[in-house]
Amino acid sequence: MKKLLWVCMFAMCLMFWTTAAPDTAELDLSEGSISVSGSGGAVTALQNGIPTTAARFRILQSGRKTANTVSVTGGTVELVLSNLNVESAEAPVSVASGASLAAVLEGDNALWSTGSAGIQVPDGAALHLGGDGSLIAVGRNHSAGIGGGFRED
């Protein structure tokens, strides 16, 4: 009987520790910049010091134009970009070398940088765009709309 009790307790603990992350979590870019990393069902986003884990994220914007940014720092990440309007001195969306971003466009998205690429994708990084939305990505200061930042290929 004790053995059965221990097995049941172990199974319950294991169930709590291995609960799957939600399929899609929403984050509001108006509330602060977002850093995302991970792969598969274990993608973690960090916003204002608070981590959120999900299989993928829908990044939306509730307010007017923002200077907050989205950074993919590692892994293979899928993000839904929904009606974003960003103007920043940094790249509004950046993908680190070694990381991959699958961006699904939803609604109208405008990504303006005053000092870098609109979507920064350096050598060794990957970007895949899809969805039914639209995208305007503008880089300044010798930077691409989509691609390298200041004096990068």
Side-chain angles (χ1 to χ4, degrees), residues 14 17 21 24 32 42 62 77 82 86 88-89 91 95 101 108 114 119 122 125 136 141 149:
L14 188 61
W17 285 332
T24 302
S62 63
V77 174
S82 181
V86 181
S88 175
V95 184
L101 170 61
D108 298 323
T114 59
I119 300 179
I136 296 172
N141 198 23

Side-chain angles (χ1 to χ4, degrees), residues 73-151:
T73 59
T76 301
V77 174
E78 181 180 344
L79 299 177
V80 177
L81 305 180
S82 181
N83 294 306
L84 300 184
N85 186 6
V86 181
E87 184 172 342
S88 175
E90 303 173 36
V93 174
S94 62
V95 184
S97 183
S100 176
L101 170 61
V104 179
L105 303 174
E106 184 178 272
D108 298 323
N109 297 277
L111 306 174
W112 300 80
S113 177
T114 59
S116 188
I119 300 179
Q120 189 162 355
V121 187
D123 283 339
L127 172 67
H128 306 278
L129 294 172
D132 295 330
S134 65
L135 173 66
I136 296 172
V138 176
R140 296 207 178 111
N141 198 23
H142 305 284
S143 299
I146 299 174
F150 180 68
R151 297 187 186 227

